[in-house]
Amino acid sequence: MITKKVSIIVPCYNQAQYLSEALQSVLKQTYTNWECIIVNDGSPDDTATIANTWIIKDSRFKYLEKENGGLSAARNSGIAIADGEFILPLDADDRISSKYLELAVPEFERDPNLKLVYCKAEKFGDESGNWVLPNFSLYNISQNNLIFCSAIFRKQEWKIIGGYDEKMIYGWEDWEFWIAMLKNGGGVKKLEEVGFYYRVKSNSMLDKTKGLKSDYLSNYLSVKHADFFVEHYGSFKKMQQELEQNRNEYEYKLKSEKFAIDVFCSVFFGFSIFGKYKKSKQ
């Protein structure tokens, strides 16, 4: 039986009301060789009090308190002191299924080339149902993030990358981390079981990542991983040419459809979509 240790990293900032639910899902794991590091990221609520109740309940829960520095910094601080060979990030307002570790960890033994294991997911909270994401490929992940934060990877991979990028204070830190980990090769396995539950809130970080913040993150990613994006999209000149070609094709198609509709309306209904009525013969 595989008994390699998994370190579950739970950053918490102003999410004390959800923390026990997340930690309960950790406690229910059928795979028992784990530790859970709760990282208090300078939270002004009662995170410390709640964390302490879980430390008393089970010695596998550990606690780290630090000044507020953002999600990436909190995860990095927790992983830095982790004893496990494998890392599982878990946000304080989410949950994992009881068999997630049991199903995921053996996959690394079956395929030594694996860098990342994740699973199917469901939403809960303000929205419910399956969280359907595109299948993994390097091209797909170059377009959008399609792996949530709670995937399992080796701590060694985190060391090689240099951790989560702490400059990404507005979000998208998971996406950047996966790109850094996978762009030069390595396998990815998606379990067919639902192992992750994502809490949807009306004021989630994803909703806040818009406008100037989104532009900043896009530009930052494009520069940091220019080699990756050029590999999948071609040179920036080629990208510009393809955009122009797509725009021209779209405009031509739109004009053609308008022309066809106009002819149809004119013949059968006696008017044009452009507002010019056709006079019928007397």
PDB file of all heavy atoms in Angstrom, residues 16 18-28 34 36 38 47-62:
ATOM      1  N   ALA A  16     -13.002  32.613   7.900  1.00  0.00           N
ATOM      2  CA  ALA A  16     -13.131  31.769   9.083  1.00  0.00           C
ATOM      3  C   ALA A  16     -14.473  31.053   9.141  1.00  0.00           C
ATOM      4  O   ALA A  16     -14.576  29.937   9.650  1.00  0.00           O
ATOM      5  CB  ALA A  16     -12.932  32.609  10.346  1.00  0.00           C
ATOM      6  N   TYR A  18     -16.025  29.630   6.875  1.00  0.00           N
ATOM      7  CA  TYR A  18     -16.049  28.438   6.034  1.00  0.00           C
ATOM      8  C   TYR A  18     -14.989  27.409   6.428  1.00  0.00           C
ATOM      9  O   TYR A  18     -15.021  26.260   5.981  1.00  0.00           O
ATOM     10  CB  TYR A  18     -15.801  28.814   4.569  1.00  0.00           C
ATOM     11  CG  TYR A  18     -16.699  29.889   4.026  1.00  0.00           C
ATOM     12  CD1 TYR A  18     -16.169  31.082   3.536  1.00  0.00           C
ATOM     13  CD2 TYR A  18     -18.078  29.715   3.975  1.00  0.00           C
ATOM     14  CE1 TYR A  18     -16.990  32.080   3.022  1.00  0.00           C
ATOM     15  CE2 TYR A  18     -18.911  30.702   3.467  1.00  0.00           C
ATOM     16  CZ  TYR A  18     -18.350  31.882   2.992  1.00  0.00           C
ATOM     17  OH  TYR A  18     -19.164  32.859   2.480  1.00  0.00           O
ATOM     18  N   LEU A  19     -14.028  27.815   7.238  1.00  0.00           N
ATOM     19  CA  LEU A  19     -12.829  27.017   7.480  1.00  0.00           C
ATOM     20  C   LEU A  19     -13.119  25.628   8.020  1.00  0.00           C
ATOM     21  O   LEU A  19     -12.542  24.634   7.555  1.00  0.00           O
ATOM     22  CB  LEU A  19     -11.892  27.773   8.429  1.00  0.00           C
ATOM     23  CG  LEU A  19     -10.560  27.098   8.759  1.00  0.00           C
ATOM     24  CD1 LEU A  19      -9.755  26.820   7.493  1.00  0.00           C
ATOM     25  CD2 LEU A  19      -9.747  27.978   9.724  1.00  0.00           C
ATOM     26  N   SER A  20     -14.009  25.520   8.996  1.00  0.00           N
ATOM     27  CA  SER A  20     -14.290  24.210   9.597  1.00  0.00           C
ATOM     28  C   SER A  20     -14.844  23.221   8.574  1.00  0.00           C
ATOM     29  O   SER A  20     -14.550  22.021   8.634  1.00  0.00           O
ATOM     30  CB  SER A  20     -15.266  24.363  10.773  1.00  0.00           C
ATOM     31  OG  SER A  20     -14.618  24.949  11.887  1.00  0.00           O
ATOM     32  N   GLU A  21     -15.629  23.723   7.648  1.00  0.00           N
ATOM     33  CA  GLU A  21     -16.192  22.850   6.617  1.00  0.00           C
ATOM     34  C   GLU A  21     -15.084  22.278   5.732  1.00  0.00           C
ATOM     35  O   GLU A  21     -15.102  21.095   5.386  1.00  0.00           O
ATOM     36  CB  GLU A  21     -17.194  23.642   5.773  1.00  0.00           C
ATOM     37  CG  GLU A  21     -18.119  22.784   4.941  1.00  0.00           C
ATOM     38  CD  GLU A  21     -19.211  23.590   4.264  1.00  0.00           C
ATOM     39  OE1 GLU A  21     -19.433  24.755   4.666  1.00  0.00           O
ATOM     40  OE2 GLU A  21     -19.832  23.054   3.335  1.00  0.00           O
ATOM     41  N   ALA A  22     -14.121  23.111   5.380  1.00  0.00           N
ATOM     42  CA  ALA A  22     -12.988  22.651   4.582  1.00  0.00           C
ATOM     43  C   ALA A  22     -12.159  21.629   5.354  1.00  0.00           C
ATOM     44  O   ALA A  22     -11.766  20.583   4.820  1.00  0.00           O
ATOM     45  CB  ALA A  22     -12.115  23.832   4.169  1.00  0.00           C
ATOM     46  N   LEU A  23     -11.881  21.928   6.629  1.00  0.00           N
ATOM     47  CA  LEU A  23     -11.046  21.041   7.437  1.00  0.00           C
ATOM     48  C   LEU A  23     -11.755  19.723   7.747  1.00  0.00           C
ATOM     49  O   LEU A  23     -11.117  18.673   7.862  1.00  0.00           O
ATOM     50  CB  LEU A  23     -10.633  21.750   8.723  1.00  0.00           C
ATOM     51  CG  LEU A  23      -9.815  23.037   8.526  1.00  0.00           C
ATOM     52  CD1 LEU A  23      -9.397  23.616   9.877  1.00  0.00           C
ATOM     53  CD2 LEU A  23      -8.597  22.806   7.637  1.00  0.00           C
ATOM     54  N   GLN A  24     -13.064  19.764   7.860  1.00  0.00           N
ATOM     55  CA  GLN A  24     -13.819  18.530   8.070  1.00  0.00           C
ATOM     56  C   GLN A  24     -13.665  17.597   6.878  1.00  0.00           C
ATOM     57  O   GLN A  24     -13.554  16.374   7.038  1.00  0.00           O
ATOM     58  CB  GLN A  24     -15.299  18.850   8.301  1.00  0.00           C
ATOM     59  CG  GLN A  24     -16.179  17.632   8.587  1.00  0.00           C
ATOM     60  CD  GLN A  24     -15.821  16.945   9.891  1.00  0.00           C
ATOM     61  OE1 GLN A  24     -15.495  17.597  10.877  1.00  0.00           O
ATOM     62  NE2 GLN A  24     -15.878  15.623   9.898  1.00  0.00           N
ATOM     63  N   SER A  25     -13.625  18.165   5.683  1.00  0.00           N
ATOM     64  CA  SER A  25     -13.448  17.335   4.489  1.00  0.00           C
ATOM     65  C   SER A  25     -12.052  16.719   4.449  1.00  0.00           C
ATOM     66  O   SER A  25     -11.856  15.639   3.893  1.00  0.00           O
ATOM     67  CB  SER A  25     -13.705  18.162   3.223  1.00  0.00           C
ATOM     68  OG  SER A  25     -12.639  19.055   2.928  1.00  0.00           O
ATOM     69  N   VAL A  26     -11.087  17.395   5.049  1.00  0.00           N
ATOM     70  CA  VAL A  26      -9.738  16.839   5.160  1.00  0.00           C
ATOM     71  C   VAL A  26      -9.731  15.691   6.167  1.00  0.00           C
ATOM     72  O   VAL A  26      -9.172  14.616   5.920  1.00  0.00           O
ATOM     73  CB  VAL A  26      -8.729  17.929   5.583  1.00  0.00           C
ATOM     74  CG1 VAL A  26      -7.360  17.310   5.863  1.00  0.00           C
ATOM     75  CG2 VAL A  26      -8.622  18.999   4.505  1.00  0.00           C
ATOM     76  N   LEU A  27     -10.359  15.906   7.312  1.00  0.00           N
ATOM     77  CA  LEU A  27     -10.390  14.894   8.362  1.00  0.00           C
ATOM     78  C   LEU A  27     -11.042  13.594   7.894  1.00  0.00           C
ATOM     79  O   LEU A  27     -10.697  12.508   8.378  1.00  0.00           O
ATOM     80  CB  LEU A  27     -11.132  15.451   9.578  1.00  0.00           C
ATOM     81  CG  LEU A  27     -11.116  14.583  10.843  1.00  0.00           C
ATOM     82  CD1 LEU A  27      -9.693  14.414  11.368  1.00  0.00           C
ATOM     83  CD2 LEU A  27     -12.018  15.195  11.910  1.00  0.00           C
ATOM     84  N   LYS A  28     -11.961  13.678   6.961  1.00  0.00           N
ATOM     85  CA  LYS A  28     -12.688  12.503   6.479  1.00  0.00           C
ATOM     86  C   LYS A  28     -11.920  11.681   5.446  1.00  0.00           C
ATOM     87  O   LYS A  28     -12.435  10.672   4.947  1.00  0.00           O
ATOM     88  CB  LYS A  28     -14.025  12.944   5.868  1.00  0.00           C
ATOM     89  CG  LYS A  28     -15.062  13.405   6.881  1.00  0.00           C
ATOM     90  CD  LYS A  28     -16.366  13.766   6.184  1.00  0.00           C
ATOM     91  CE  LYS A  28     -17.440  14.144   7.177  1.00  0.00           C
ATOM     92  NZ  LYS A  28     -18.715  14.510   6.484  1.00  0.00           N
ATOM     93  N   TRP A  34      -1.511  12.078   5.957  1.00  0.00           N
ATOM     94  CA  TRP A  34      -1.542  13.479   5.519  1.00  0.00           C
ATOM     95  C   TRP A  34      -1.256  14.394   6.707  1.00  0.00           C
ATOM     96  O   TRP A  34      -1.354  13.997   7.868  1.00  0.00           O
ATOM     97  CB  TRP A  34      -2.899  13.852   4.909  1.00  0.00           C
ATOM     98  CG  TRP A  34      -4.094  13.575   5.767  1.00  0.00           C
ATOM     99  CD1 TRP A  34      -4.903  12.474   5.715  1.00  0.00           C
ATOM    100  CD2 TRP A  34      -4.625  14.394   6.825  1.00  0.00           C
ATOM    101  NE1 TRP A  34      -5.905  12.556   6.667  1.00  0.00           N
ATOM    102  CE2 TRP A  34      -5.748  13.736   7.359  1.00  0.00           C
ATOM    103  CE3 TRP A  34      -4.262  15.632   7.358  1.00  0.00           C
ATOM    104  CZ2 TRP A  34      -6.515  14.252   8.398  1.00  0.00           C
ATOM    105  CZ3 TRP A  34      -5.012  16.153   8.412  1.00  0.00           C
ATOM    106  CH2 TRP A  34      -6.125  15.477   8.911  1.00  0.00           C
ATOM    107  N   CYS A  36      -2.132  18.715   7.512  1.00  0.00           N
ATOM    108  CA  CYS A  36      -2.866  19.863   6.978  1.00  0.00           C
ATOM    109  C   CYS A  36      -2.337  21.120   7.652  1.00  0.00           C
ATOM    110  O   CYS A  36      -2.444  21.274   8.874  1.00  0.00           O
ATOM    111  CB  CYS A  36      -4.360  19.704   7.236  1.00  0.00           C
ATOM    112  SG  CYS A  36      -5.356  21.071   6.601  1.00  0.00           S
ATOM    113  N   ILE A  38      -2.684  24.937   8.156  1.00  0.00           N
ATOM    114  CA  ILE A  38      -3.588  26.088   8.055  1.00  0.00           C
ATOM    115  C   ILE A  38      -2.728  27.345   8.117  1.00  0.00           C
ATOM    116  O   ILE A  38      -2.016  27.565   9.099  1.00  0.00           O
ATOM    117  CB  ILE A  38      -4.609  26.080   9.206  1.00  0.00           C
ATOM    118  CG1 ILE A  38      -5.337  24.735   9.266  1.00  0.00           C
ATOM    119  CG2 ILE A  38      -5.590  27.237   9.059  1.00  0.00           C
ATOM    120  CD1 ILE A  38      -5.998  24.461  10.609  1.00  0.00           C
ATOM    121  N   THR A  47      -9.919  33.352  12.628  1.00  0.00           N
ATOM    122  CA  THR A  47      -9.257  32.198  12.020  1.00  0.00           C
ATOM    123  C   THR A  47      -8.406  31.442  13.037  1.00  0.00           C
ATOM    124  O   THR A  47      -8.428  30.210  13.093  1.00  0.00           O
ATOM    125  CB  THR A  47      -8.376  32.650  10.837  1.00  0.00           C
ATOM    126  OG1 THR A  47      -9.219  33.119   9.769  1.00  0.00           O
ATOM    127  CG2 THR A  47      -7.514  31.509  10.315  1.00  0.00           C
ATOM    128  N   ALA A  48      -7.652  32.176  13.851  1.00  0.00           N
ATOM    129  CA  ALA A  48      -6.754  31.539  14.818  1.00  0.00           C
ATOM    130  C   ALA A  48      -7.522  30.673  15.811  1.00  0.00           C
ATOM    131  O   ALA A  48      -7.113  29.546  16.121  1.00  0.00           O
ATOM    132  CB  ALA A  48      -5.945  32.601  15.557  1.00  0.00           C
ATOM    133  N   THR A  49      -8.637  31.171  16.291  1.00  0.00           N
ATOM    134  CA  THR A  49      -9.443  30.435  17.276  1.00  0.00           C
ATOM    135  C   THR A  49      -9.990  29.150  16.677  1.00  0.00           C
ATOM    136  O   THR A  49      -9.924  28.076  17.297  1.00  0.00           O
ATOM    137  CB  THR A  49     -10.603  31.313  17.775  1.00  0.00           C
ATOM    138  OG1 THR A  49     -10.072  32.507  18.348  1.00  0.00           O
ATOM    139  CG2 THR A  49     -11.439  30.570  18.800  1.00  0.00           C
ATOM    140  N   ILE A  50     -10.521  29.246  15.479  1.00  0.00           N
ATOM    141  CA  ILE A  50     -11.087  28.070  14.825  1.00  0.00           C
ATOM    142  C   ILE A  50      -9.994  27.056  14.498  1.00  0.00           C
ATOM    143  O   ILE A  50     -10.148  25.852  14.709  1.00  0.00           O
ATOM    144  CB  ILE A  50     -11.856  28.487  13.559  1.00  0.00           C
ATOM    145  CG1 ILE A  50     -13.100  29.301  13.957  1.00  0.00           C
ATOM    146  CG2 ILE A  50     -12.252  27.270  12.732  1.00  0.00           C
ATOM    147  CD1 ILE A  50     -13.840  29.895  12.797  1.00  0.00           C
ATOM    148  N   ALA A  51      -8.868  27.542  13.986  1.00  0.00           N
ATOM    149  CA  ALA A  51      -7.750  26.649  13.663  1.00  0.00           C
ATOM    150  C   ALA A  51      -7.298  25.889  14.908  1.00  0.00           C
ATOM    151  O   ALA A  51      -6.983  24.687  14.846  1.00  0.00           O
ATOM    152  CB  ALA A  51      -6.601  27.439  13.063  1.00  0.00           C
ATOM    153  N   ASN A  52      -7.270  26.573  16.029  1.00  0.00           N
ATOM    154  CA  ASN A  52      -6.805  25.942  17.268  1.00  0.00           C
ATOM    155  C   ASN A  52      -7.696  24.777  17.682  1.00  0.00           C
ATOM    156  O   ASN A  52      -7.212  23.769  18.213  1.00  0.00           O
ATOM    157  CB  ASN A  52      -6.745  26.983  18.387  1.00  0.00           C
ATOM    158  CG  ASN A  52      -6.088  26.439  19.636  1.00  0.00           C
ATOM    159  OD1 ASN A  52      -4.935  26.002  19.616  1.00  0.00           O
ATOM    160  ND2 ASN A  52      -6.811  26.458  20.748  1.00  0.00           N
ATOM    161  N   THR A  53      -8.986  24.876  17.442  1.00  0.00           N
ATOM    162  CA  THR A  53      -9.890  23.772  17.797  1.00  0.00           C
ATOM    163  C   THR A  53      -9.571  22.523  16.984  1.00  0.00           C
ATOM    164  O   THR A  53      -9.721  21.396  17.476  1.00  0.00           O
ATOM    165  CB  THR A  53     -11.362  24.172  17.564  1.00  0.00           C
ATOM    166  OG1 THR A  53     -11.589  24.420  16.172  1.00  0.00           O
ATOM    167  CG2 THR A  53     -11.721  25.408  18.360  1.00  0.00           C
ATOM    168  N   TRP A  54      -9.131  22.709  15.751  1.00  0.00           N
ATOM    169  CA  TRP A  54      -8.796  21.566  14.900  1.00  0.00           C
ATOM    170  C   TRP A  54      -7.435  20.985  15.250  1.00  0.00           C
ATOM    171  O   TRP A  54      -7.220  19.775  15.143  1.00  0.00           O
ATOM    172  CB  TRP A  54      -8.871  21.970  13.431  1.00  0.00           C
ATOM    173  CG  TRP A  54     -10.296  22.128  12.995  1.00  0.00           C
ATOM    174  CD1 TRP A  54     -11.067  23.248  13.066  1.00  0.00           C
ATOM    175  CD2 TRP A  54     -11.131  21.096  12.490  1.00  0.00           C
ATOM    176  NE1 TRP A  54     -12.335  22.988  12.619  1.00  0.00           N
ATOM    177  CE2 TRP A  54     -12.406  21.671  12.255  1.00  0.00           C
ATOM    178  CE3 TRP A  54     -10.938  19.753  12.205  1.00  0.00           C
ATOM    179  CZ2 TRP A  54     -13.469  20.934  11.758  1.00  0.00           C
ATOM    180  CZ3 TRP A  54     -11.996  19.011  11.698  1.00  0.00           C
ATOM    181  CH2 TRP A  54     -13.249  19.602  11.489  1.00  0.00           C
ATOM    182  N   ILE A  55      -6.517  21.829  15.671  1.00  0.00           N
ATOM    183  CA  ILE A  55      -5.207  21.346  16.122  1.00  0.00           C
ATOM    184  C   ILE A  55      -5.365  20.456  17.354  1.00  0.00           C
ATOM    185  O   ILE A  55      -4.697  19.423  17.493  1.00  0.00           O
ATOM    186  CB  ILE A  55      -4.276  22.537  16.425  1.00  0.00           C
ATOM    187  CG1 ILE A  55      -3.960  23.293  15.132  1.00  0.00           C
ATOM    188  CG2 ILE A  55      -2.988  22.074  17.086  1.00  0.00           C
ATOM    189  CD1 ILE A  55      -3.300  24.638  15.365  1.00  0.00           C
ATOM    190  N   ILE A  56      -6.265  20.837  18.248  1.00  0.00           N
ATOM    191  CA  ILE A  56      -6.547  20.038  19.442  1.00  0.00           C
ATOM    192  C   ILE A  56      -7.230  18.721  19.057  1.00  0.00           C
ATOM    193  O   ILE A  56      -6.963  17.660  19.635  1.00  0.00           O
ATOM    194  CB  ILE A  56      -7.430  20.841  20.425  1.00  0.00           C
ATOM    195  CG1 ILE A  56      -6.658  22.057  20.944  1.00  0.00           C
ATOM    196  CG2 ILE A  56      -7.916  19.972  21.572  1.00  0.00           C
ATOM    197  CD1 ILE A  56      -7.503  23.024  21.742  1.00  0.00           C
ATOM    198  N   LYS A  57      -8.092  18.795  18.056  1.00  0.00           N
ATOM    199  CA  LYS A  57      -8.867  17.626  17.634  1.00  0.00           C
ATOM    200  C   LYS A  57      -7.986  16.553  17.009  1.00  0.00           C
ATOM    201  O   LYS A  57      -8.185  15.352  17.231  1.00  0.00           O
ATOM    202  CB  LYS A  57      -9.954  18.070  16.649  1.00  0.00           C
ATOM    203  CG  LYS A  57     -10.903  16.963  16.219  1.00  0.00           C
ATOM    204  CD  LYS A  57     -11.963  17.501  15.280  1.00  0.00           C
ATOM    205  CE  LYS A  57     -12.836  18.563  15.968  1.00  0.00           C
ATOM    206  NZ  LYS A  57     -13.979  18.969  15.116  1.00  0.00           N
ATOM    207  N   ASP A  58      -6.997  16.954  16.202  1.00  0.00           N
ATOM    208  CA  ASP A  58      -6.148  15.990  15.489  1.00  0.00           C
ATOM    209  C   ASP A  58      -4.769  16.608  15.285  1.00  0.00           C
ATOM    210  O   ASP A  58      -4.656  17.712  14.737  1.00  0.00           O
ATOM    211  CB  ASP A  58      -6.783  15.625  14.142  1.00  0.00           C
ATOM    212  CG  ASP A  58      -6.141  14.410  13.495  1.00  0.00           C
ATOM    213  OD1 ASP A  58      -4.902  14.408  13.324  1.00  0.00           O
ATOM    214  OD2 ASP A  58      -6.875  13.463  13.144  1.00  0.00           O
ATOM    215  N   SER A  59      -3.739  15.899  15.702  1.00  0.00           N
ATOM    216  CA  SER A  59      -2.366  16.432  15.646  1.00  0.00           C
ATOM    217  C   SER A  59      -1.844  16.590  14.227  1.00  0.00           C
ATOM    218  O   SER A  59      -0.800  17.214  14.018  1.00  0.00           O
ATOM    219  CB  SER A  59      -1.421  15.520  16.431  1.00  0.00           C
ATOM    220  OG  SER A  59      -1.385  14.216  15.865  1.00  0.00           O
ATOM    221  N   ARG A  60      -2.557  16.043  13.252  1.00  0.00           N
ATOM    222  CA  ARG A  60      -2.130  16.206  11.854  1.00  0.00           C
ATOM    223  C   ARG A  60      -2.422  17.612  11.333  1.00  0.00           C
ATOM    224  O   ARG A  60      -1.894  18.012  10.296  1.00  0.00           O
ATOM    225  CB  ARG A  60      -2.796  15.148  10.966  1.00  0.00           C
ATOM    226  CG  ARG A  60      -2.297  13.731  11.205  1.00  0.00           C
ATOM    227  CD  ARG A  60      -3.110  12.712  10.404  1.00  0.00           C
ATOM    228  NE  ARG A  60      -4.500  12.643  10.877  1.00  0.00           N
ATOM    229  CZ  ARG A  60      -5.431  11.853  10.334  1.00  0.00           C
ATOM    230  NH1 ARG A  60      -5.101  11.061   9.305  1.00  0.00           N
ATOM    231  NH2 ARG A  60      -6.651  11.829  10.810  1.00  0.00           N
ATOM    232  N   PHE A  61      -3.251  18.348  12.050  1.00  0.00           N
ATOM    233  CA  PHE A  61      -3.491  19.748  11.707  1.00  0.00           C
ATOM    234  C   PHE A  61      -2.397  20.608  12.338  1.00  0.00           C
ATOM    235  O   PHE A  61      -2.070  20.448  13.511  1.00  0.00           O
ATOM    236  CB  PHE A  61      -4.864  20.211  12.191  1.00  0.00           C
ATOM    237  CG  PHE A  61      -6.009  19.625  11.422  1.00  0.00           C
ATOM    238  CD1 PHE A  61      -6.763  18.592  11.965  1.00  0.00           C
ATOM    239  CD2 PHE A  61      -6.317  20.089  10.155  1.00  0.00           C
ATOM    240  CE1 PHE A  61      -7.816  18.043  11.257  1.00  0.00           C
ATOM    241  CE2 PHE A  61      -7.373  19.539   9.438  1.00  0.00           C
ATOM    242  CZ  PHE A  61      -8.120  18.518   9.984  1.00  0.00           C
ATOM    243  N   LYS A  62      -1.844  21.512  11.541  1.00  0.00           N
ATOM    244  CA  LYS A  62      -0.793  22.411  12.009  1.00  0.00           C
ATOM    245  C   LYS A  62      -1.187  23.842  11.674  1.00  0.00           C
ATOM    246  O   LYS A  62      -2.044  24.078  10.813  1.00  0.00           O
ATOM    247  CB  LYS A  62       0.542  22.049  11.357  1.00  0.00           C
ATOM    248  CG  LYS A  62       0.983  20.612  11.651  1.00  0.00           C
ATOM    249  CD  LYS A  62       2.274  20.258  10.938  1.00  0.00           C
ATOM    250  CE  LYS A  62       2.680  18.802  11.227  1.00  0.00           C
ATOM    251  NZ  LYS A  62       3.937  18.440  10.533  1.00  0.00           N
TER     252      LYS A  62
END
